Amino acid sequence: MASVRQLQITFDCAEPERLARFWCEVLGYVVPPPPEGFATWDDYSGSLPPEERDSWFACVDPSGAGPRLFFQRVPEGKTAKNRVHLDVRVGTGLVGDERLAALEAECTRLVPLGAVRVRLLYDGHDSCIVMQDIEGNEFCLD
């Protein structure tokens, strides 16, 4: 049995490029170069039929270690809690107040980008901050 060598995480969304650029900021990801033969993403988008323009966007880990994130436009809005979400691991190896301080600092950085703090889960030793991205998708600072 062959093993999986790459992983892509796909988001259904209303505004693919806007959401992709938000996640670039959160994760330190970058927008990949446009397809061969196009100088910019706008040039590429302009070459598509009107109904396909701005229908998807992606971002990638510049180190190549993390999964590609792909954002595809869908007509329906988000209606329920995500069944799968991303954990942004900013507190790995930290405990107690030190962990909480790292999570709070990252939360403070992300709110001006459009993220929304939902709630703090804290038991005195372990902690997590539940947040939402700019389209209401839940994620955790862990």
Side-chain angles (χ1 to χ4, degrees):
M1 182 167 160
S3 65
V4 175
R5 291 183 175 43
Q6 292 186 347
L7 175 69
Q8 172 174 285
I9 300 170
T10 301
F11 290 76
D12 290 348
C13 60
E15 298 180 71
E17 183 174 353
R18 181 173 175 250
L19 192 55
R21 291 188 184 280
F22 169 83
W23 282 102
C24 280
E25 289 294 323
V26 172
L27 300 174
Y29 273 36
V30 298
V31 174
E36 192 171 322
F38 296 94
T40 68
W41 279 105
D42 285 339
D43 291 345
Y44 171 74
S45 183
S47 74
L48 299 173
E51 65 276 6
E52 292 180 28
R53 292 181 187 151
D54 305 317
S55 65
W56 64 271
F57 212 79
C59 59
V60 296
D61 179 351
S63 75
R68 178 180 192 242
L69 302 183
F70 184 81
F71 303 85
Q72 61 187 6
R73 186 177 62 219
V74 296
E76 66 275 359
K78 183 178 179 306
T79 59
K81 184 180 182 309
N82 301 4
R83 300 268 321 238
V84 174
H85 67 267
L86 300 182
D87 285 343
V88 180
R89 309 289 316 270
V90 297
T92 303
L94 304 175
V95 295
D97 291 341
E98 187 178 18
R99 178 181 173 82
L100 186 57
L103 299 178
E104 292 289 357
E106 186 65 1
C107 180
T108 298
R109 183 181 80 84
L110 299 181
V111 167
L113 299 175
V116 175
R117 180 188 181 120
V118 175
R119 69 183 169 281
L120 170 66
L121 304 174
Y122 183 65
D123 67 9
H125 180 268
D126 202 12
S127 52
C128 166
I129 298 176
V130 179
M131 301 195 69
Q132 292 178 338
D133 70 16
I134 59 176
E135 288 201 7
N137 300 301
E138 295 86 9
F139 69 98
C140 291
L141 299 179
D142 177 35

